[in-house]
Amino acid sequence: MNVKDEVRDKICLALDVDSLDLVKEIVEESYQYVGLYKVGKELFISEGASSIKIPQSFDRDVFLDLKLHDIPNTVQGASKAIVKHDVKMFTVHAMGGKEMIQAAVRGINEGSKQYENQKPKILGITVLTSHDANFLKEILIDKPLEYVLIEYAKLASKNGCDGIVCSSKDIRFISPHIHKKIIYVTPGVRLGEDKKSDQKRVSTPQDAISNGSSMIVVGRSIIDSENRKKVLKKIYEEVEKGLAYKK
Ligand code: C5P
């Protein structure tokens, strides 16, 4: 199969596993169809920075998804340290607020002076795709989900985030309120026949791309599959169709 870079670069595989051996196996099996690998809390806490080096050794970039949310000084230091690992992007929670997001920007500026690596993009997490209106009530946010999404996205984009993480279904509400260059990274992606698990606001890969997603994040649908290559091919084909639909 002739894999096009413009399609592959829209596919991010979430390496939500806890061992380096499994990461090696998955990356080897998938890198042909995957533009970027996401290293999240499970893998990073289990295996540390070695987990970032595996996709990099296959000439693939890494998205470090640690969802930072802390006092500004701590987030500044953590963001600076992230530059050391030469990753393409990382996440902070928009609900951490203006000062915290600006501290992340200062952190990567300091880090880029210290390390000769790429300057990572900062993505702001809006409302997790596993959350819905009932969840907002549970944490005492008494506002409609759509309003919260827009305000968090504005907070992220105004204070220096290069992109936001949201459900692809949210893009049409959010995009009129923020600048055009923002990147939309969208998890909560499922192939038609898949289980939703804990995700509530889900889309298919094709819908996510035609809704304006810059990159889809897929984890369990690939990782847990008995035939990962087959699932990836299907995702690739859907992304290609989504891109054609957009043109
Ligand atoms: O397995 P699944 O495809 O649901 O994986 C989704 C990935 O995207 C997980 O690694 C999760 O941490 C991440 N994520 C998410 N919702 C967000 C941000 C990140 O599901 N809003």
Side-chain angles (χ1 to χ4, degrees):
M1 187 166 165
N2 184 18
V3 176
K4 295 181 200 143
D5 289 357
E6 63 166 309
V7 179
R8 192 190 66 194
D9 289 348
K10 302 238 166 250
I11 303 172
C12 173
L13 171 51
L15 291 168
D16 291 331
V17 295
D18 63 2
S19 92
L20 292 181
D21 286 343
L22 198 47
V23 171
K24 271 188 208 135
E25 180 191 309
I26 295 168
V27 175
E28 210 153 34
E29 235 178 307
S30 62
Y31 76 98
Q32 191 191 352
Y33 297 102
V34 173
L36 193 75
Y37 286 89
K38 186 167 89 68
V39 171
K41 288 186 173 115
E42 179 180 356
L43 182 57
F44 195 78
I45 292 172
S46 174
E47 297 287 357
S50 317
S51 55
I52 297 176
K53 297 211 168 75
I54 296 173
Q56 289 173 337
S57 71
F58 283 80
D59 202 22
R60 291 292 177 270
D61 267 316
V62 171
F63 163 18
L64 187 59
D65 182 25
L66 299 179
K67 297 188 174 69
L68 305 181
H69 186 177
D70 212 314
I71 59 169
N73 185 59
T74 302
V75 168
Q76 184 168 336
S79 303
K80 181 180 170 189
I82 282 173
V83 183
K84 196 171 165 180
H85 300 296
D86 205 13
V87 299
K88 179 138 186 158
M89 50 204 200
F90 71 99
T91 42
V92 300
H93 269 287
M95 64 156 66
K98 178 176 159 179
E99 270 189 54
M100 190 204 79
I101 299 168
Q102 291 177 354
V105 176
R106 281 197 299 279
I108 57 165
N109 288 337
E110 284 171 9
S112 327
K113 281 185 201 139
Q114 192 161 334
Y115 311 105
E116 283 175 16
N117 288 332
Q118 59 184 319
K119 198 173 191 177
K121 294 192 187 312
I122 308 179
L123 305 179
I125 303 282
T126 56
V127 178
L128 294 176
T129 43
S130 55
H131 293 165
D132 58 11
N134 286 332
F135 172 81
L136 292 182
K137 276 196 197 121
E138 192 184 313
I139 58 162
L140 311 180
I141 297 179
D142 196 15
K143 295 271 191 303
L145 179 69
E146 197 180 309
Y147 175 84
V148 179
L149 274 167
I150 293 169
E151 290 308 310
Y152 284 1
K154 278 163 56 182
L155 189 61
S157 76
K158 274 187 194 160
N159 289 293
C161 286
D162 306 283
I164 57 167
V165 182
C166 62
S167 156
S168 75
K169 291 187 169 152
D170 305 332
I171 298 174
R172 71 193 166 105
F173 304 120
I174 296 173
S175 59
H177 302 274
I178 53 178
H179 63 80
K180 297 268 175 294
K181 281 197 184 147
I182 210 97
I183 305 167
Y184 294 96
V185 175
T186 65
V189 172
R190 292 288 176 272
L191 286 165
E193 63 272 21
D194 282 353
K195 281 193 259 139
K196 275 169 56 171
S197 321
D198 52 353
Q199 300 281 18
K200 302 226 165 62
R201 307 190 327 277
V202 298
S203 309
T204 63
Q206 184 176 342
D207 287 345
I209 296 294
S210 54
N211 287 343
S213 168
S214 319
M215 177 175 286
I216 57 167
V217 179
V218 192
R220 287 164 289 184
S221 302
I222 299 168
I223 304 280
D224 298 344
S225 157
E226 274 168 23
N227 192 338
R228 296 189 186 119
K229 261 211 167 129
K230 196 171 150 199
V231 176
L232 267 162
K233 266 191 197 161
K234 213 164 166 192
I235 293 173
Y236 178 93
E237 282 160 10
E238 281 215 21
V239 170
E240 197 169 30
K241 278 192 214 152
L243 278 172
Y245 181 83
K246 257 175 80 180
K247 277 175 188 162

